[in-house]
Each structure stands twice: as C-alpha cells, then as structure tokens.
Amino acid sequence: MTALLLGCAGASSASPQGPGRGPAPRPTGSAPTGSYGAEAAVSLTPLEAGALEAARARLAQGTRRPELSQALTRAARILARRATSSSDDPLGRSAVRDALAAACSYDPAPSAFLARASPSHLQQVIARAITPGGATHLGAGVIESGGEAVAVILASNRSARLDPFPSGAAVGGEALLSGELLGGLHAPRVYVTVPSGQVQEREVSGTGAFQAHVPFTERGRYVVELVAEGPSGPTVAALLVVAVGGAALEGPRTVDGEEPAEAGAAEARVVAALSALRVGRGLSPLTPSADLAAVARRHSAAMRASGKVAHVVPGSPGPAERLLRADIGFARVYENVAAARTALAAQDAAVESPAHLKNMLEPAATRVGVGIAREVLPSGDPRVYLTEIFVEPPEETLAGPLNPEARVRAALWSERARLGLPPLTADAALDQLAREGADEFRRRDAEEVPDLAPRALALRRALAAADAFVASGPGEATRSRNLRDARFRRVGVGVIEATSRRFGFGRLFIAVIYTD
C-alpha cells in the first residue's frame, strides 16, 4: 500500500551522483537467515505449474506475461500449508505479512488469492477467483490434502529491483540497501522502524539506482521501507523485515475482526486506533474533522473506481489540491492510503509501513479525517479502501482561512501536480530560513535580493536553490523558476505581507528555498 507525507520541497545547483550497480557488499556483523533480492530457480509441482498458468492468463498485460518469483512462491506455499492446517483466515494480514518475511519477499502489498478444488478442477477455480489485472511477478503454492488441492496465488507489480539484503543481522551490524527503481519511479527515500517503535529516515544516494546504509544498533525487529516518487505520488517500492540479534521475524498478531456494517462506525474505529497509537507514544490524540473525512471518503471512492491504491488517481488530485478545492485551511497535510479486507486491517497494514507510521506520529498534526469505500471482489472477498488525512492547522486558527504561506504552498503543490512532477515535502528548518529571508527582503524593499541558497547548503544539504520575489497574491508563487526542477524534494516557504514604498499597498514578499 502506498502512503506518505505531502508538503513542499525543491530545486537545484548541481547534479547528484548516482551509485554504482552490482551486488551489495556483505553486511558487517550479519547473521544471515536469508537474503531479499536473491531470486533463484524454483521447481514447481505439476499442480503449481498449472495454477501459475491459469493466473498468468488472468494477470497478463498485453503480451507481457508475469515472471515467476521464487520468493512469492515460497510465501504462497507457506500460506497454502496454513490453509490446510488452521481454522484462522489463511490470507489475514498478519499471515500474509509473516509469510512474505519468512520467504524473503520484499513485495510490499501483493494481491493474494485462495482457491480450493479437486486437482482436476483447480485451474478453472483459480481463473474464477482471480480479479483480472496486471502483474509483473507471480508465486503459486499448492498443497494437496484429503483429495483436495488448496492453492494460493500471490501477484505483485514490482517497482524496484534489489541487490541481496539480509533478513537477519547481528547487533551492531550494518547492511547496504541498494538496487534500481523501475516503472518510472525516482527520488528514493528509505525509512526504518526500529525495535523501539521510532521511525528513522536514512540518507540515500542516487535517483534511479540508489544506495542507503542501514545500521542495526539494538536487538529486535526492524522494518525497512523504500519509497519513491511516481505519477501516482509517493509509492512504497519495497518493504523488508530484518531480525536482529536473534529476534523473531514475525510481527504482532492482529485479527481483522468483524467490520461494522455502517461505514461511519468503521471509520470511527480507525480514528480511535490512531489516537490510541499516538497517546501510547506520548502524543496528543487527534481531533476528528467532518470536513476532512468528506475529502477522505471521496478519495477512497476514487481509488475504488480506479482499482488502484494511490495518492493521485483519475478524478482525484493530490492531497493539498483536494483540501484547497474544499476550502479547508492547513499549514501542512499528510496522507496515508491503504486497502485490505476491513478498515482496521488496512490501518494495521499502514502501521507496519514506516512511512505511514511516521505520518500517524507527526507531532504537529492535530486533526484527522478518515474515509473508506467498500467493494466485493469477483472472488467474493470484501475490499476496503482507506484514506487518512492528517492536518497541521494554520497558525492563526484551527478552522480559519488559509494564511498566505499555506496558500503559497498550495499553489506550488498544485503546479507541480499539473506539470506531472513529484510532490514537494515541507521542511521546518527551510521554512524558518525562508521566513528570515522574506523579512530581510521586505526590509531591503527589494533593493537587493538575499542569497539564501548558501544558507540552505549549510544545513547539510547537497543541492539548494532559492527564489525571492514580490507578488500581489499567493497564486503568483508559480513564478518561482526552480519550481519546475524535479531534482528537489524539500521546500521552505516564507511570506511577509507589507506595504512597500517601491511596490505599493498590501504586497507579498515571498522567499522559496528548495533542497534535495
């Protein structure tokens, strides 16, 4: 599932250097139990081969047929075996997550299909169970039990190729996450949930090909996530679980439970779970917002209509633009999107994602809107699309109109979306620097434009650029020439409203700083 904070970021001075190709070095201090990204040949049983062909026929994209994945096949076999020996839901969120980790599959959210039939009818049943669509990689696991064949199909649209990365390591070790983004993705970021529950962002070099060092400083379960920008907004490209110091790969057990029949009740359960999570981490609970919930419901319905879990889908632009159209004030907006069999299962899946979890634990966010949309798949399984919108309110009031800085940010985000460029992420340090620059700009009354880029580079950024100009309204922020440079991911905005002897009454002195 996808998620991520949306804000502002931005522009340029020199090209970043990409990493070299090739396998990652052996991790320091590792105690490997397997490696992600090391796909080897797998021998299918005749029933598995038939199941795979039946799935391929439903999931082929034109002339492109999905490739066999050893890791997905190993995970599918674990789930099929579970389906023959347990009364629990074999495709429950926890079961699928643990099977993927045990099989060293880094696919973040593969579609899972279960079929039961006599061996002679298995392919026909699989064809009916699978929802038509596209996939790049497939795994098939079939277990025969009591004259019945139980099959699990896992299908994934992979958006990254990873070099070998260990699923187990020793305390004090380190591993190199490296590989290549696929499908037009770029601007990789790496987030890690450490055993304490805190989320860290690791430094990444490269854009298409990438490298990031991941240290393992304490015993426990680590979740490593690769996120990148694409046409649909921030996208989770890979999710890896690492057991450090002999810890278990399995995560906490969760039960989907019965979904409330009324959508509002299901949404309220998610809000309660979000607030309980924050309170448990020493943060304030969130205030539910009916206006935000309405925006979230519309986006979930748009995801259902498109059959895609993403921040940008046909008929529904990015989060900032949606709030702007609804005339909802904000300083920053953060969004999570997910899908599962129930709303709470989708929420639990989001908690497993470091980037999603980071949004949930954003200290400055005070309001939340949760919206769901439901459907029933051809297999008869329920599917719930979930959108969570977290808002840091405008400085002057929780419900007031957008302040000039918020409107400048919204104008920048909307223009980036219109141009098909990756969204920008707000940066508090850059905001402070931009405000100081805007105030300095006002005091000089544009006699000399302050050079803010070197100050941004002093914040240990590799690339930086800044624009400063006088405007009559926030919409003129799209004049920012560095806005169109896709290399930048972070932005700071400063706006001072003042009367100028040179430019007249009620003018906006705007400073925009972009960094990588």
Side-chain angles (χ1 to χ4, degrees):
M1 306 306 166
T2 55
L4 210 54
L5 114 81
L6 212 78
C8 300
S12 68
S13 70
S15 279
Q17 297 297 312
R21 294 283 188 85
R26 182 178 180 84
T28 305
S30 66
T33 58
S35 291
Y36 294 93
E39 295 267 349
V42 61
S43 296
L44 299 177
T45 67
L47 282 177
E48 288 173 338
L52 185 71
E53 286 307 307
R56 274 179 170 154
R58 298 286 280 173
L59 297 169
Q61 303 178 74
T63 59
R64 182 177 181 180
R65 290 161 57 81
E67 298 178 21
L68 172 66
S69 164
Q70 180 208 31
L72 288 176
T73 293
R74 289 176 60 197
R77 286 172 175 170
I78 293 171
L79 294 169
R81 190 173 297 110
R82 176 186 175 90
T84 65
S85 60
S86 173
S87 58
D88 294 341
D89 181 2
L91 299 186
R93 191 193 69 81
S94 294
V96 173
R97 177 201 62 202
D98 290 346
L100 293 171
C104 292
S105 169
Y106 60 83
D107 301 274
S111 299
F113 306 94
L114 174 68
R116 300 175 186 267
S118 65
S120 60
H121 291 89
L122 183 61
Q123 292 187 43
Q124 296 94 310
V125 174
I126 288 174
R128 290 196 299 269
I130 290 182
T131 305
T136 62
H137 291 77
L138 287 177
V142 181
I143 302 294
E144 288 189 79
S145 177
E148 180 184 57
V150 178
V152 170
I153 303 294
L154 295 176
S156 177
N157 266 306
R158 284 193 186 164
S159 49
R161 177 198 61 77
L162 294 190
D163 296 322
F165 188 90
S167 65
V171 176
E174 179 179 279
L176 180 68
L177 183 68
S178 64
E180 177 184 17
L181 295 174
L182 307 173
L185 294 185
H186 60 281
R189 302 177 75 172
V190 172
Y191 296 89
V192 181
T193 301
V194 300
S196 66
Q198 298 298 313
V199 178
Q200 302 173 351
E201 184 172 1
R202 309 306 306 171
E203 183 177 352
V204 181
S205 61
T207 54
F210 60 88
Q211 291 183 341
H213 291 272
V214 182
F216 304 113
T217 58
E218 58 184 303
R219 183 183 185 278
R221 182 175 181 269
Y222 286 70
V223 182
V224 181
E225 185 174 51
L226 172 66
V227 178
E229 301 292 343
S232 299
T235 301
V236 179
L239 193 68
L240 308 83
V241 178
V242 182
V244 175
L249 279 172
E250 295 79 10
R253 305 304 298 174
T254 60
V255 179
D256 290 0
E258 185 175 348
E259 178 88 336
E262 202 274 314
E267 293 165 352
R269 289 177 65 183
V270 174
V271 172
L274 286 167
S275 287
L277 174 68
R278 287 173 61 91
V279 170
R281 302 291 181 89
L283 299 171
S284 60
L286 295 163
T287 301
S289 164
D291 291 341
L292 288 174
V295 175
R297 289 186 196 109
R298 288 195 292 270
H299 185 65
S300 290
M303 290 195 295
R304 178 182 60 194
S306 68
K308 185 175 183 180
V309 180
H311 295 282
V312 180
V313 297
S316 187
E321 177 66 16
R322 282 183 257 126
L323 296 191
L324 189 62
R325 292 180 181 181
D327 198 27
I328 296 175
F330 63 94
R332 291 180 180 84
V333 56
Y334 312 81
E335 180 177 87
N336 289 345
V337 291
R341 293 185 172 192
T342 69
L344 268 187
Q347 160 63 13
D348 286 342
V351 171
E352 179 76 357
S353 156
H356 290 70
L357 180 60
K358 185 174 185 293
N359 289 345
M360 297 175 197
L361 300 178
E362 173 55 47
T366 60
R367 293 190 295 151
V368 67
V370 171
I372 67 171
R374 292 167 167 159
E375 68 176 349
V376 178
L377 299 175
S379 62
D381 293 323
R383 184 170 175 84
V384 178
Y385 293 87
L386 170 70
T387 302
E388 301 171 341
I389 302 175
F390 309 92
V391 162
E392 178 183 341
E395 295 174 4
E396 65 273 14
T397 172
L398 285 178
L402 298 179
N403 61 25
E405 284 186 3
R407 288 197 174 276
V408 166
R409 290 191 189 95
L412 296 175
W413 294 338
S414 297
E415 181 66 7
R416 292 274 287 200
R418 187 188 70 80
L419 294 171
L421 297 173
L424 303 172
T425 302
D427 186 295
L430 293 178
D431 279 344
Q432 181 59 37
L433 183 57
R435 291 187 187 109
E436 294 171 1
D439 186 56
E440 182 180 344
F441 189 29
R442 175 195 60 80
R443 286 186 282 103
R444 294 179 180 181
D445 205 16
E447 291 179 1
E448 183 181 353
V449 177
D451 188 2
L452 302 174
R455 304 182 202 177
L457 289 173
L459 298 175
R460 296 185 178 180
R461 307 296 164 81
L463 308 175
D467 297 324
F469 47 91
V470 179
S472 57
E476 293 183 30
T478 56
R479 289 164 42 195
S480 176
R481 65 183 184 277
N482 288 295
L483 174 63
R484 290 157 179 78
D485 194 320
R487 293 178 296 172
F488 291 92
R489 300 185 303 188
R490 304 174 191 269
V491 76
V493 173
V495 181
I496 299 293
E497 187 171 7
T499 296
S500 165
R501 286 182 295 178
R502 175 173 295 188
F503 299 103
F505 178 79
R507 307 294 282 178
L508 300 180
F509 290 80
I510 300 174
V512 185
I513 304 173
Y514 303 89
T515 71
D516 54 327

